[in-house]
């Protein structure tokens, strides 16, 4: 897993592994100021009760 512009790249991992990694961002979540944050955006999508849709994307560089 490596940080990329606009998100995190998860080359070769399963969807379950990716969601698990997002959930582990709980350690960075500020419960005294709930809401979306750049470092915890994926975590909030996983746990917010009203989340009904999840968007993902895949991009490859010219080199593969």
């Amino acid at each position: 897993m490596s940080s990329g512009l606009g998100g995190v790249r998860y080359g070769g991992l399963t969807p379950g592994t990716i969601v698990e990694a997002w959930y582990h961002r709980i350690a960075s979540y500020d419960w005294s100021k709930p809401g979306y944050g750049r470092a915890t955006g994926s975590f909030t999508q996983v746990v917010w009760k009203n989340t009904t849709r999840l968007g993902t994307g895949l991009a490859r560089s010219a080199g593969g």
Side-chain angles (χ1 to χ4, degrees):
M1 176 170 43
S2 62
S3 294
L5 296 175
V8 176
R9 293 177 281 185
Y10 295 95
L13 300 179
T14 66
T17 304
I18 293 168
V19 172
E20 185 176 333
W22 289 351
Y23 183 79
H24 284 292
R25 292 184 176 187
I26 190 172
S28 300
Y29 191 73
D30 185 349
W31 294 94
S32 67
K33 296 178 188 170
Y36 176 83
R38 183 178 168 110
T40 58
S42 301
F43 165 73
T44 56
Q45 272 194 309
V46 173
V47 300
W48 279 349
K49 180 180 177 179
N50 291 332
T51 296
T52 58
R53 296 172 24 177
L54 175 66
T56 62
L58 173 65
R60 296 190 184 269
S61 68

